[in-house]
Each structure stands twice: as structure tokens, then as C-alpha cells.
């Protein structure tokens, strides 16, 4: 078994062999020779060694002495020292450990470490190994060459240790681990007491850790040491630090935090990181009134002081009461408790006071003092250790300003949140309500109302506190209902709150008063937008768009990452009130809004029916709220241009995306208003306004079509025929193409296929005459479907294949899907199952991709039947389940009931006729089922065993029950 030699050279010299101290050296030159051999890491000539240790002797005597030392060394370490007649070597292949080698290896690993944690770990191991100077206290007489080598090694290793300790001290200081940093700095000074930078850093860390007296004493130690060793005084920088430390405790204490800060941890962490950045001198928390800027700044300041970031502390100055920018210097001097030294230049007094301070100056509510921002520039230039934390509704516009935009607290945006209390806005409301009423314990209904309150206030902390203050008198539901009507009831009489924070309207009025007239007009006009808006919409609506940037800077308007603009809900409400005070401006703005979005729809009309239909549909969906508002205004004002430009695209939008009920109501209101205006005209006036008649006809027909989608067939037929009659009076022939198409669809829905056929044929002829391929594709699909159910599959396939070819040429996804669905169904009936399945899968995929709810259900119905006829009952069941789920989610009541009827016949009846009877009974009794759907269900049920009927007549089912049973 090999023995291990351990050599410690850093500090006192130590040799151990198998954990036993190695002794028996005949002279101090023996261990010196061993150390020299180990560190040389190569074979050394005997002549060189003799000269190293006995340079003053003759060559013969020196070599004789060397031989004696080698005999002693070989006796002690027979396997570690190798000799020849010419050289001596330390055998590094034998087991040994050397602290210098481990020390330098850790330094090498630290320099190449992949991250800071690994680097620090290796540095700590290195400085632990450095117990003292190289061969501390060790001396060899009459060996000047060895002494020179030893001194060089000692200085080299000491410098490495110094650098390692310096790096660690900086690391600990940055991480605010002050005690560990202090330990490193004390070791640094033990190595080199004259290092002024180490004294300075030690003073700083002692001060940051709360040891003011020790920091001041360290300065005196530094002063005496520099005088004794170098004959100099401390530098101006170190003396300035000393004066800075002497001033600790001269500032007033910060305001106490009245209540724990709810949430905002992510914001606090982000702000703390920014504040710790040496390059960050001016940090502005910007946001609207009531968003929580002051409370967040105070919490951040307390955190910074607890961590010892500012040895002279922090000073929070509330600037709300200052009436003029010229008063800022005097206000700051007063807050800093500066002595009155006389003189008129208070700015210079302030700069002189701050020049040698390291503090955080927190200036709250700066938005009305922007002309005084130049003073902040002077502070940054002349007081390098002062940092400025600003709260403002408006950015200061300085080059070195770092901005932090503060928004509302997080709140649930959907009704599916598992734990509402995990959202900061909800937690704040509950905490505030519990301060009002300690036994406040929200129920599930309360939480639903609280979530609504949070949404209406967009998480604004002040609004939530004001709302929670109503909790003793009102239920959460009542608060939400009142807030939905107006936020003016949110007011409190808190004596410890500034007047501008006692109601949301006071917050808004305070900001409004600082706007220019142009900014006030722009903000009021922007309230016409129902949601966010982009620059083109702003140019189309606003009298001036330049003030938008100013409103963003003043935190009254948000500039979203996608480039759009958005008003906070509370600001939106109060800005709308301001617009209402200017009736002429309001009327002009609403008219511009309606005209812009009507033109927006008109520009996308052809795209909605072409290859770019999905992209156009997405664009329209993105501004659906604006379009509803524009349509409502056009309806109210009976603006023919707005309604005419918007109606076709709006109908296509509702037809593809729904909900049909909303679309039907929108067209009903418009047609009612236009019809009233039309009927109020004399016959002569009517004859002079054919465009109004054509508009009314178009509205009636489109209302009828959406009524058809709701399975209101009789109403739809009446409206479409009424519209056709108007077209026949004042329109052109080709205007009748789409009413014929719609009437054919209505007749088909009622089961009157013979009546549907001539309408479709007339429509196709008119579309061919007009060269309208989009219309042709739609009619050919319907013609094919009629021919199929009338027992003419050959003609059906001819129409459908032509329709598919035309639809692919047009490129409109919705038209293509409709034709695919119809052709797929016809192919299934013809027994071409493989082709039908492929086509229907393609159709369903397009529906999913484009968000076509109604057409998706139609595709899945035909696909389920195709799968069933191929023997795939399990796959058919899954397909029916998906179709029903989509129909229910899309509020397509009659279509959902059609799916249930077909599922009853195709998947329930073969294995459980009783279940099929129950499903069909539900369809027959359901109020959403059309007459035709009920008739089909009755026929299907009568085909099943009548013995089942009594047993299931009393069974009560819902649509959701059937969905679950289909999925089982």
C-alpha cells in the first residue's frame, strides 16, 4: 500500500506522512530543498542545487553538503525523491497532496467556471487553503538565492490570494451578505494593511450592516496605517465616505406602512433589481392615479433600507402640495432637515448637502413639477451617490430616466379560475373588506361578484379599496351592479387620505386639470372607442392624434405591445362623461367612428368571400365591439351610407362566427328604423329615393337569413319575400339572386324540396348572368343537396362537383366547406364512403382552422353517418359527441337537436332503443327545436317500438344529459 505525503506551504510549513508529522530533518535546508524540488516540477541538476543553497562555498564543499542532505531526505522519503549522479527529482507520480497546488487549481477552476455560483465556490475553497503567507516564518541561513526565490513565490501567491478575497468581498457586497464581505476584507488588510481601497470597502460594509461606530473607527485605522507606512493622508474619496458615514441618522424616519402590501411581489423584485443597478440613477414609477405608485415606492424604499443599500438612508418627499416648480429646492431642503444657512440659491445649498451623501431620494407625485426636472439632472451630476426614485403620472422626459410602468393588480380574465383568491386584485378586495368587517367571509357568489368588480376596475388598487369600503352596507353583488352603472358611488371620507384619493372621480379630475385643451379633446374623443384602437382608427376618428403620445406619457392612455392604444375602464367612463358635456363634439366623433368602421367592413367585403377570407374574418373579429357600436349608431341615426357599407360584411361575419341571435337582433333593429323612415315618406318621395328602398330590402333579406339560421322559417320567408318585393320595384335583376338563394334554403329547411328547387335554379341563373362565382358556388351546393333528397343522385353529384370546382376557384373557405359538406353527404348516400370520408375530414379541418361553428357541426353530422355506414359505430359515436359539443357551445339550439335526432337513430337505437326514444322525446318537446326538426323526430320515434314510449315519457333529460350519454 502506497503512503501519502501531505505538504502545507501556505502559512506554517507542515509535512505529514500517512497522517503522521514528518520530522528528522538534520537542518532547515532539508525541507527547503524538498519544497524547491516539489514546486520545480522537473529534474534539477546537482550543480544548480548546490549553488542555490551553498553559493558562498567551493563547488566541492557545496556538493558534499548536498549529498548529506539527500541522504537525509532519501531516508525520510525513499519513494518520493529520486536521485542520479547528475540530478535530483521529486517523483510526482507518488501519492501526495500540496496545498499550493490545490490553491492554484481552485483559482484556475474559478476563472473558467460556467456560472457565478461555481466561481464563488472555488474562490472560497482557495481562500480557505490560504492559511497565511507562503512558508510563513520559515528562514534558511546563508542561502540568498533560495531567499530570493521564496520572496518571489510569497509575493506571487499573496497577490493571488488578495485578488481572490477582493473578488469574494465584491460578490458578498453585491448580494448584501455584509458579514461575509467584512470577513474577506479583514483578511485582505491582514495581508496588506496599506491597501486603501480595502479600508474604504470595509468602512462601507460596516456602515451598511449597521455598524456605524466600527466604520468610523476603521477610518481612523486607515489614517494611522497610511501615515505610518506611506506617510500620506487618506484620499478625498475615502474622506468623503467617512463624512457620509458620520451623517448617518440625520434624516427623518420614513412613513410607516399602514397596511401590508398585497401582491406586487414581481414588481418589487423587478424594481429592486433596477435600483441595484449602478447605472440606474433615476427610476420613475409611472402610472395613473390610484394605481398604487406611492405604496409600492414606500415598500421598495423600506426593502432597500433593510438591506443596507443606502448608508445615509432614504427620504420620501410628498410633492402633491407644491404649487410651483420653483418651490422644489426649498421643499427638499426642509424634508432633509438641512440647517438654514441663509442665501438665495437654495438649489446650490441642496446640491452641497447631497454631494457627499449616499441616499435614496423618493419624490412622490412629480407630474405637476416637470419644469423642475433640471434640478434632478444637477443632483445626478453633482451627487454621484444619490439615487432618485420618482412616482409620477407623467414621464419626466430625461435622458437618464428609467421608466417602470405600473398597471393594475392581476385578476381573473375568465370565469374558470380555480382559486380567485390567488389573484392579487381579489386578495386586496377581500383584505380591505375584512378590515371593514372582520368576519367577512366571501361565498362562491361573492367571489363571482368580486371578480366582476376587479374586471370593471381593471385591478386598480384605489378603486378596489373604495369598493371594499362599501362592503358593510352593500353585498358584493350589489357593489358589482352599481359599479357596472357608474363608479361615482365609489367614494370614502378617509381623513388620512388626500382629497384626490377619496373617490375615483377626484383622481380623474385631478389628472384632467393638468391636460392641455387639445389633450382634453383627444382623451374625450378616444372614449368613443369601445376597446383598444390602432393608429389608423385614431386618424380616422380624432381631431388631433399628436396628443396621444402625451396622454400615454401622462398615464391616461396605454400603449400596448402590439402598437394599439387602450383606455383604462375607469378613465374610459369619466372621459365619456366629459365628451357628453360637448354635444357637438360627441355627435361629430360618433359619426366619424361609425363612418370609419363601416368603411372598414366594406373594404373587407370581397376578401371575406375569397381566399383571404380567414385573415379578413380575424381582422373583423378583432374590432367586433367597434363594429357593433358603429352599427348601433348607424341604426339610431338611420345613416344610409353606414348601413349600406356595413351590412353585407356584417351578415357574413355573423353567419360564420355567430351568435345568430345577436346578428338577427342587430338587423331587426336596423330594418325597423329604416322601414319607419321609408314609410314616413310620401309615394313621390319614395320614388325619388330608390337607394333607401334597396337598403331596406337588403336589411330585411339579411335579417330573414339570420332568422333562417335560428330555424325561424316562417318569419324568414316573410322577410325575404318582403325584401324581394322592394327589389322588384326599385332594384336590378341581379339583385334578386341572393333572395332566391335564401328562399330556397328556407323552403329546404321546412322540408318543401319542390318549392326550394325553382328558387335555387333562378338564383343560379342570375348569378351566372352576373358572373358572380361566389354566388354560383353557394347555389350549386344547395341545388345538389335538393336533388339528392329528391331522389336524383346523379344530378346532385353533377351540381355538387361543379360547385366544388367553382368554390376552389373562388377560394372562400366558408363556401368551400359548405360545398364539401353537401358533396360528402351525397357521396355517402351513393355508397362512395372512402371519397366522402376524405372530403368530410378535409371540410372539418378547414372549419376548425377558420372557426366555423355551424359548418363544423354540419360536416361532423355527415362524417358520423359515413363512419356508421362503414361499420365504425365507436368512431361515429365520438363524432356525434363532438358535433353536439360544438353546437351547444355555439348556442345552436335547433342544430344541436338535429344532431341528437340523428344520433338517436344511428347509434342509440341499434343497441338501446329505449335510450333512442328518450332522446327523440327530448327533441320533440324542446322549445329550441323548429317545427321541421320536431316533425322528423316524431317520425323517427314512431318507427321505434311503441312499447318504449310510456316508460320514457316521464324521463326528464337536458341537452347536457344527452351529451354525457353519447360520450359514455
Amino acid at each position: 500500500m502506497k503512503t501519502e505525503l501531505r505538504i502545507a506551504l501556505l502559512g506554517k510549513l507542515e509535512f505529514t506522512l500517512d497522517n503522521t508529522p514528518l520530522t528528522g530533518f538534520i537542518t532547515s535546508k532539508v525541507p527547503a530543498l524538498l519544497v524547491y524540488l516539489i514546486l520545480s516540477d522537473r529534474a534539477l541538476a546537482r550543480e544548480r542545487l548546490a549553488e542555490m543553497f551553498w553559493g558562498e562555498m567551493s563547488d566541492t564543499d557545496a556538493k558534499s553538503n548536498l549529498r548529506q542532505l539527500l541522504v537525509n531526505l532519501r531516508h525520510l522519503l525513499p519513494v518520493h525523491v529520486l536521485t542520479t549522479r547528475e540530478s535530483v527529482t521529486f517523483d510526482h507520480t507518488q501519492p501526495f497532496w500540496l496545498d499550493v497546488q490545490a490553491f492554484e487549481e481552485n483559482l484556475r477552476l474559478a476563472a473558467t467556471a460556467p456560472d457565478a455560483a461555481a466561481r464563488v465556490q472555488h474562490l472560497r475553497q482557495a481562500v480557505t487553503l490560504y492559511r497565511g503567507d507562503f512558508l510563513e516564518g520559515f528562514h534558511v541561513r546563508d542561502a540568498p538565492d533560495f531567499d530570493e526565490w521564496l520572496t518571489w513565490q510569497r509575493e506571487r501567491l499573496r497577490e493571488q490570494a488578495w485578488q481572490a478575497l477582493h473578488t469574494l468581498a465584491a460578490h458578498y457586497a453585491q448580494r448584501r451578505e455584509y458579514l461575509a464581505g467584512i470577513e474577506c476584507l479583514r483578511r485582505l488588510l491582514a495581508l496588506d494593511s496599506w491597501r486603501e481601497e480595502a479600508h474604504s470597502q470595509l468602512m462601507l460594509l460596516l456602515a451598511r450592516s449597521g455598524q456605524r461606530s466600527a466604520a468610523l473607527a476603521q477610518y481612523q485605522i486607515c489614517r494611522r496605517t497610511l501615515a505610518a507606512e506611506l506617510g500620506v493622508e487618506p484620499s478625498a474619496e475615502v474622506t468623503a465616505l467617512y463624512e457620509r458615514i458620520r451623517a448617518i441618522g440625520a434624516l427623518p424616519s420614513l412613513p410607516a406602512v399602514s397596511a401590508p402590501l398585497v401582491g406586487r411581489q414581481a414588481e418589487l423584485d423587478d424594481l429592486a433589481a433596477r435600483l441595484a443597478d449602478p447605472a440606474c440613477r433615476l427610476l420613475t414609477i409611472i402610472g395613473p392615479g390610484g394605481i398604487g405608485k406611492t405604496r409600492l415606492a414606500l415598500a421598495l424604499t423600506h426593502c432597500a433600507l433593510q438591506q443596507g443599500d443606502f448608508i445615509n438612508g432614504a427620504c420620501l418627499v410628498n410633492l402633491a402640495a407644491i404649487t410651483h416648480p420653483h418651490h422644489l429646492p426649498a421643499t427638499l431642503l426642509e424634508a432633509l432637515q438641512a440647517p438654514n444657512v441663509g442665501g438665495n440659491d437654495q438649489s446650490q445649498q441642496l446640491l452641497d448637502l447631497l454631494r457627499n451623501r449616499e441616499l435614496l431620494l423618493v419624490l412622490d407625485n412629480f407630474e405637476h413639477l416637470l419644469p423642475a426636472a433640471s434640478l434632478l439632472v444637477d443632483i445626478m451630476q453633482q451627487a454621484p451617490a444619490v439615487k432618485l426614485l420618482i412616482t409620477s403620472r407623467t414621464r419626466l422626459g430625461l435622458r437618464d430616466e428609467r421608466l417602470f410602468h405600473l398597471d393594475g393588480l392581476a385578476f381573473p380574465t375568465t370565469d374558470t379560475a380555480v382559486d380567485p383568491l390567488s389573484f392579487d386584485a381579489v386578495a386586496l378586495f377581500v383584505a380591505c373588506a375584512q378590515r371593514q368587517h372582520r368576519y367577512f367571509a366571501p361565498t362562491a357568489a361573492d367571489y363571482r361578484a368580486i371578480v366582476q368588480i376587479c374586471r370593471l376596475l381593471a385591478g386598480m388598487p384605489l378603486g378596489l379599496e373604495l369598493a371594499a369600503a362599501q362592503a358593510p352596507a352593500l353585498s358584493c353583488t350589489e357593489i358589482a351592479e352599481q359599479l357596472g352603472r357608474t363608479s361615482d358611488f365609489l367614494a370614502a371620507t378617509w381623513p388620512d387620505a388626500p382629497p384626490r384619493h377619496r373617490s375615483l372621480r377626484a383622481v380623474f379630475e385631478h389628472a384632467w386639470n393638468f391636460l392641455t385643451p387639445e389633450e382634453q379633446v383627444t382623451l374625450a374623443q378616444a372614449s368613443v372607442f369601445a376597446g383598444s384602437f390602432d393608429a389608423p382608427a385614431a386618424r380616422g376618428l380624432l381631431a388631433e392624434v399628436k396628443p396621444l403620445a402625451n396622454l400615454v406619457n401622462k398615464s391616461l392612455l396605454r400603449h400596448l405591445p402590439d402598437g394599439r392604444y387602450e383606455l383604462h375602464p375607469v378613465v374610459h367612463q369619466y372621459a365619456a362623461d366629459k365628451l357628453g358635456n360637448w354635444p357637438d363634439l360627441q355627435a361629430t366623433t360618433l359619426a366619424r367612428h361609425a363612418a370609419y368602421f363601416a368603411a372598414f367592413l366594406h373594404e373587407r367585403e370581397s376578401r371575406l368571400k375569397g381566399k383571404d377570407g380567414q385573415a379578413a374574418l380575424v381582422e373583423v373579429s378583432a374590432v367586433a365591439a367597434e363594429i357593433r357600436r358603429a352599427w348601433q349608431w348607424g341604426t339610431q341615426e338611420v345613416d344610409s351610407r353606414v348601413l349600406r357599407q356595413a351590412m353585407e360584411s356584417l351578415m357574413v361575419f355573423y353567419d360564420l362566427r355567430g351568435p345568430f341571435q345577436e346578428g338577427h337582433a342587430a338587423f331587426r333593429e336596423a330594418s325597423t328604423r329604416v322601414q319607419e323612415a321609408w314609410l314616413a315618406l310620401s309615394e313621390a318621395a319614395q320614388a325619388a329615393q330608390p337607394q333607401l328602398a334597396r337598403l331596406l330590402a337588403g336589411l330585411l333579406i339579411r335579417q330573414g337569413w339570420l332568422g333562417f339560421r335560428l330555424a325561424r322559417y316562417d318569419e324568414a320567408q316573410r322577410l325575404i319575400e318582403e325584401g324581394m318585393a322592394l327589389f322588384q320595384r326599385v332594384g336590378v335583376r341581379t339583385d334578386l339572386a341572393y333572395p332566391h338563394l335564401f328562399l330556397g334554403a328556407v323552403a329546404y329547411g321546412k322540408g318543401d324540396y319542390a318549392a326550394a328547387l325553382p328558387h335555387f335554379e333562378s338564383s343560379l341563373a342570375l348569378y351566372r348572368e352576373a358572373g358572380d362565382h361566389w354566388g354560383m358556388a353557394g347555389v350549386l351546393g344547395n341545388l345538389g343537396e335538393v336533388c339528392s333528397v329528391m331522389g336524383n343522385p346523379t344530378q346532385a353529384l353533377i351540381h355538387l362537383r361543379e360547385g366544388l370546382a367553382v368554390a376552389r376557384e373562388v377560394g372562400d373557405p366558408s363556401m368551400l366547406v359548405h360545398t364539401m359538406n353537401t358533396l360528402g353527404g351525397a357521396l355517402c348516400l351513393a355508397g362512395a364512403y372512402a371519397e366522402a370520408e376524405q372530403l368530410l375530414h378535409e371540410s372539418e379541418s378547414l372549419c376548425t382552422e377558420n372557426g366555423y361553428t355551424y359548418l363544423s357541426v354540419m360536416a361532423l353530422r355527415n362524417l358520423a353517418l359515413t363512419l356508421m355506414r362503414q361499420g365504425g359505430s365507436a368512431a361515429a359515436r365520438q363524432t356525434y359527441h363532438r358535433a353536439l359539443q360544438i353546437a351547444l357551445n355555439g348556442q345552436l339550439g335547433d342544430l344541436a337537436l338535429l344532431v341528437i335526432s340523428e344520433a338517436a337513430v344511428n347509434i342509440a337505437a341499434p343497441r338501446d332503443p329505449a335510450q333512442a326514444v328518450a332522446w327523440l322525446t327530448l327533441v320533440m318537446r324542446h322549445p329550441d327545436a323548429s317545427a321541421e326538426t320536431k316533425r322528423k323526430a316524431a317520425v323517427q320515434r314512431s318507427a321505434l317500438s311503441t312499447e318504449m314510449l310510456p316508460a320514457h315519457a316521464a324521463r326528464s333529460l337536458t341537452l347536457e344529459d344527452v351529451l354525457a350519454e353519447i360520450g359514455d
Side-chain angles (χ1 to χ4, degrees):
M1 180 178 178
K2 293 185 176 183
T3 57
E4 183 185 42
L5 174 66
R6 295 181 66 84
I7 310 107
L9 307 180
L10 298 172
K12 183 181 178 181
L13 176 63
E14 294 178 357
F15 293 98
T16 58
L17 192 63
D18 286 344
N19 298 319
T20 301
L22 184 63
T23 59
F25 299 113
I26 60 175
T27 174
S28 63
K29 288 187 177 181
V30 177
L33 173 61
L34 179 57
V35 170
Y36 189 71
L37 289 171
I38 292 171
L39 292 183
S40 296
D41 199 22
R42 68 183 187 278
L44 297 174
R46 286 178 179 251
E47 289 81 358
R48 174 73 186 106
L49 294 174
E51 183 181 356
M52 167 75 75
F53 290 96
W54 298 278
E56 76 286 358
M57 292 186 178
S58 66
D59 184 58
T60 301
D61 290 343
K63 288 183 177 180
S64 175
N65 287 341
L66 177 61
R67 283 194 296 273
Q68 292 180 43
L69 262 63
L70 290 174
V71 169
N72 180 228
L73 197 52
R74 290 277 295 162
H75 173 73
L76 294 172
L77 298 169
V79 299
H80 290 85
V81 179
L82 306 177
T83 62
T84 67
R85 291 180 63 85
E86 290 80 22
S87 65
V88 183
T89 308
F90 181 82
D91 188 357
H92 289 84
T93 65
Q94 296 297 325
F96 80 101
W97 178 85
L98 176 66
D99 62 351
V100 171
Q101 186 181 63
F103 171 76
E104 294 192 306
E105 176 63 12
N106 272 294
L107 293 182
R108 185 190 66 79
L109 292 172
T112 59
D115 52 55
R119 181 167 60 256
V120 169
Q121 180 182 1
H122 288 300
L123 288 174
R124 291 177 62 179
Q125 290 173 356
V127 299
T128 300
L129 287 167
Y130 197 88
R131 299 173 299 117
D133 282 342
F134 179 71
L135 296 181
E136 188 175 275
F138 184 78
H139 178 67
V140 177
R141 290 188 306 162
D142 302 325
D145 287 357
F146 178 80
D147 284 343
E148 183 180 343
W149 175 83
L150 185 151
T151 300
W152 175 78
Q153 290 285 0
R154 183 173 289 164
E155 293 300 323
R156 181 182 67 84
L157 293 168
R158 175 186 286 183
E159 183 62 27
Q160 289 181 346
W162 198 95
Q163 291 296 338
L165 286 165
H166 185 271
T167 302
L168 280 174
H171 167 79
Y172 290 132
Q174 183 180 17
R175 291 176 58 86
R176 302 182 178 91
E177 298 176 24
Y178 299 128
L179 296 182
I182 289 169
E183 180 185 353
C184 289
L185 291 165
R186 292 194 189 282
R187 288 192 62 186
L188 277 176
L189 290 171
L191 292 176
D192 289 321
S193 61
W194 54 269
R195 300 263 195 169
E196 188 182 37
E197 63 268 37
H199 283 285
S200 174
Q201 187 70 3
L202 181 54
M203 290 167 59
L204 188 61
L205 295 196
L206 286 168
R208 292 201 192 290
S209 62
Q211 303 178 65
R212 176 177 177 271
S213 297
L216 295 174
Q218 188 63 40
Y219 173 77
Q220 299 301 334
I221 294 171
C222 172
R223 187 177 182 184
R224 290 193 298 269
T225 302
L226 293 179
E229 297 193 15
L230 303 176
V232 298
E233 287 291 319
S235 66
E237 291 79 5
V238 175
T239 302
L241 176 60
Y242 169 70
E243 295 297 336
R244 203 178 294 161
I245 295 171
R246 283 185 62 196
I248 290 176
L251 293 179
S253 58
L254 288 173
V257 179
S258 58
L261 186 67
V262 176
R264 297 296 195 200
Q265 191 57 53
E267 290 90 340
L268 265 178
D269 293 343
D270 191 345
L271 284 166
R274 298 188 191 204
L275 200 60
D277 181 0
C280 178
R281 298 288 312 286
L282 170 59
L283 179 58
T284 303
I285 302 175
I286 187 171
I291 208 67
K293 301 184 295 296
T294 301
R295 186 168 293 183
L296 183 60
L298 182 59
L300 176 63
T301 304
H302 277 289
C303 289
L305 294 187
Q306 288 170 5
Q307 294 168 342
D309 288 353
F310 298 92
I311 60 175
N312 293 121
C315 182
L316 187 147
V317 189
N318 188 340
L319 305 176
I322 298 182
T323 58
H324 197 283
H326 290 164
H327 300 158
L328 180 60
T331 302
L332 297 184
L333 285 169
E334 181 181 351
L336 291 165
Q337 296 184 345
N340 187 354
V341 297
N344 296 322
D345 195 347
Q346 293 179 314
S347 294
Q348 190 59 50
Q349 291 178 33
L350 176 66
L351 296 173
D352 291 341
L353 177 68
L354 295 177
R355 184 169 287 110
N356 292 323
R357 299 280 186 99
E358 182 191 273
L359 63 83
L360 178 63
L361 190 55
V362 186
L363 306 181
D364 192 26
N365 301 301
F366 202 91
E367 56 271 359
H368 60 299
L369 301 174
L370 296 184
S374 59
L375 178 62
L376 307 186
V377 176
D378 293 338
I379 291 173
M380 289 189 287
Q381 290 176 347
Q382 299 188 40
V386 172
K387 289 200 174 190
L388 298 163
L389 177 62
I390 311 295
T391 73
S392 176
R393 303 184 187 192
T394 306
R395 62 184 301 170
L396 276 57
L398 299 178
R399 184 177 61 182
D400 293 328
E401 182 182 22
R402 304 284 182 91
L403 292 176
F404 185 90
H405 292 274
L406 188 61
D407 292 320
L409 295 169
F411 56 89
T413 57
T414 67
D415 296 327
T416 57
V418 177
D419 180 16
L421 200 56
S422 65
F423 291 85
D424 292 342
V426 176
L428 177 61
F429 180 94
V430 172
C432 293
Q434 288 173 341
R435 287 202 295 269
Q436 301 287 328
H437 182 13
R438 60 181 298 187
Y439 299 111
F440 177 72
T443 64
D446 288 332
Y447 273 119
R448 286 193 293 273
I450 293 169
V451 167
Q452 181 62 16
I453 292 167
C454 294
R455 289 177 187 165
L456 290 168
L457 294 169
M460 176 185 281
L462 177 61
L464 293 169
E465 291 186 34
L466 290 168
Q470 314 299 318
L474 300 174
S475 70
C476 294
T477 301
E478 289 171 331
I479 295 172
E481 289 173 351
Q482 288 205 34
L483 186 57
R485 292 190 290 270
T486 176
S487 56
D488 275 346
F489 86 104
L490 294 184
T493 57
W494 301 321
D496 57 343
R500 69 180 189 282
H501 278 183
R502 293 177 187 171
S503 74
L504 290 187
R505 182 168 290 279
V507 171
F508 177 78
E509 292 292 345
H510 181 77
W512 177 266
N513 291 333
F514 284 101
L515 298 181
T516 66
E518 293 78 11
E519 290 166 352
Q520 290 179 343
V521 168
T522 300
L523 181 61
Q525 286 186 299
S527 69
V528 167
F529 289 108
S532 64
F533 57 93
D534 58 15
R539 287 191 293 271
L541 174 63
L542 305 177
E544 291 284 344
V545 295
K546 289 182 180 180
L548 288 177
N550 295 338
L551 293 173
V552 171
N553 290 338
K554 295 181 178 182
S555 303
L556 289 168
L557 186 67
R558 297 170 178 167
H559 198 191
L560 304 177
D562 62 359
R564 297 176 68 83
Y565 297 93
E566 182 181 59
L567 288 172
H568 187 283
V570 174
V571 176
H572 189 282
Q573 179 185 133
Y574 290 130
D577 290 347
K578 293 293 185 182
L579 184 62
N581 294 334
W582 298 321
D584 292 344
L585 179 64
Q586 183 181 46
T588 300
T589 307
L590 287 170
R592 286 180 178 175
H593 178 276
Y596 177 84
F597 285 101
F600 178 94
L601 282 174
H602 188 63
E603 289 166 4
R604 285 153 182 77
E605 185 175 315
S606 60
R607 288 176 57 206
L608 284 167
K609 299 178 180 180
K611 296 179 180 179
D612 198 26
Q614 176 58 20
L617 192 60
V618 169
E619 292 170 9
V620 173
S621 299
V623 294
E626 309 300 339
I627 288 169
R628 293 186 187 99
R629 176 165 290 189
W631 182 263
Q632 185 178 17
W633 184 89
T635 297
Q636 180 180 337
E637 300 296 323
V638 192
D639 190 300
S640 299
R641 181 178 177 82
V642 166
L643 297 175
R644 185 170 60 253
Q645 283 191 320
M647 66 179 177
E648 177 64 9
S649 292
L650 187 62
M651 187 204 70
V652 173
F653 171 73
Y654 280 121
D655 195 38
L656 295 177
R657 283 288 174 89
F660 297 141
Q661 294 94 329
E662 180 184 305
H664 181 267
F667 277 93
R668 181 184 67 243
E669 291 168 10
S671 63
T672 299
R673 290 283 293 165
V674 174
Q675 193 165 40
E676 289 172 354
W678 171 255
L679 294 175
L681 298 174
S682 64
E683 289 189 11
Q686 288 180 351
Q689 296 192 46
Q691 291 300 324
L692 185 61
R694 293 186 70 187
L695 171 62
L696 177 57
L699 291 170
L700 290 168
I701 292 166
R702 288 168 176 83
Q703 179 191 346
W705 174 252
L706 291 169
F708 160 74
R709 288 298 200 195
L710 294 169
R712 301 174 184 175
Y713 299 135
D714 291 336
E715 174 197 302
Q717 181 175 342
R718 175 181 57 78
L719 291 168
I720 297 169
E721 287 177 345
E722 189 177 344
M724 281 186 72
L726 278 171
F727 269 147
Q728 288 168 343
R729 283 178 55 187
V730 298
V732 296
R733 264 176 47 83
T734 51
D735 279 343
L736 299 174
Y738 73 91
H740 274 300
L741 170 61
F742 291 174
L743 283 174
V746 171
Y748 181 89
K750 296 170 72 173
D752 191 352
Y753 308 124
L757 186 60
H759 280 300
F760 288 141
E761 289 173 339
S762 297
S763 179
L764 180 60
L766 290 168
Y767 276 129
R768 288 191 193 278
E769 180 182 332
D772 187 337
H773 288 76
W774 184 83
M776 287 170 54
V779 177
L780 285 166
N782 284 284
L783 267 173
E785 195 166 357
V786 169
C787 290
S788 179
V789 297
M790 292 182 71
N792 191 350
T794 302
Q795 189 61 45
L797 290 175
I798 291 172
H799 286 312
L800 291 171
R801 292 191 188 279
E802 181 189 359
L804 182 60
V806 175
R808 290 193 187 278
E809 177 187 342
V810 171
D812 177 9
S814 64
M815 186 64 67
L816 187 58
V817 163
H818 175 77
T819 310
M820 283 179 172
N821 288 350
T822 309
L823 179 55
L827 289 168
C828 174
L829 294 176
Y833 301 127
E835 184 182 357
E837 184 177 348
Q838 179 182 354
L839 202 61
L840 291 167
H841 274 302
E842 182 184 355
S843 172
E844 204 273 327
S845 177
L846 278 172
C847 288
T848 302
E849 179 182 335
N850 291 280
Y852 299 155
T853 303
Y854 183 90
L855 295 174
S856 181
V857 177
M858 300 297 287
L860 290 169
R861 287 173 59 202
N862 286 336
L863 180 59
L865 181 61
T866 302
L867 293 170
M868 194 73 195
R869 293 201 173 185
Q870 295 179 85
S873 58
R877 176 180 287 272
Q878 293 175 357
T879 304
Y880 276 127
H881 182 269
R882 185 174 177 196
L884 182 55
Q885 181 74 72
I886 293 172
L888 292 176
N889 290 343
Q891 301 179 12
L892 305 175
D894 184 63
L895 190 56
L897 293 162
L898 273 175
V899 173
I900 291 174
S901 295
E902 292 170 3
V905 173
N906 293 320
I907 64 171
R911 70 171 192 173
D912 187 355
Q915 186 179 59
V917 168
W919 292 1
L920 291 168
T921 302
L922 167 68
V923 174
M924 293 172 60
R925 295 175 176 176
H926 203 283
D928 287 347
S930 66
E932 179 61 15
T933 299
K934 291 179 178 179
R935 184 191 66 77
K936 289 180 179 178
V939 171
Q940 291 162 339
R941 193 179 75 161
S942 66
L944 298 172
S945 174
T946 54
E947 297 175 0
M948 308 287 180
L949 301 184
H952 290 274
R955 185 181 174 198
S956 178
L957 284 176
T958 65
L959 298 178
E960 288 71 21
D961 292 334
V962 177
L963 178 67
E965 291 181 8
I966 293 177
D968 288 341

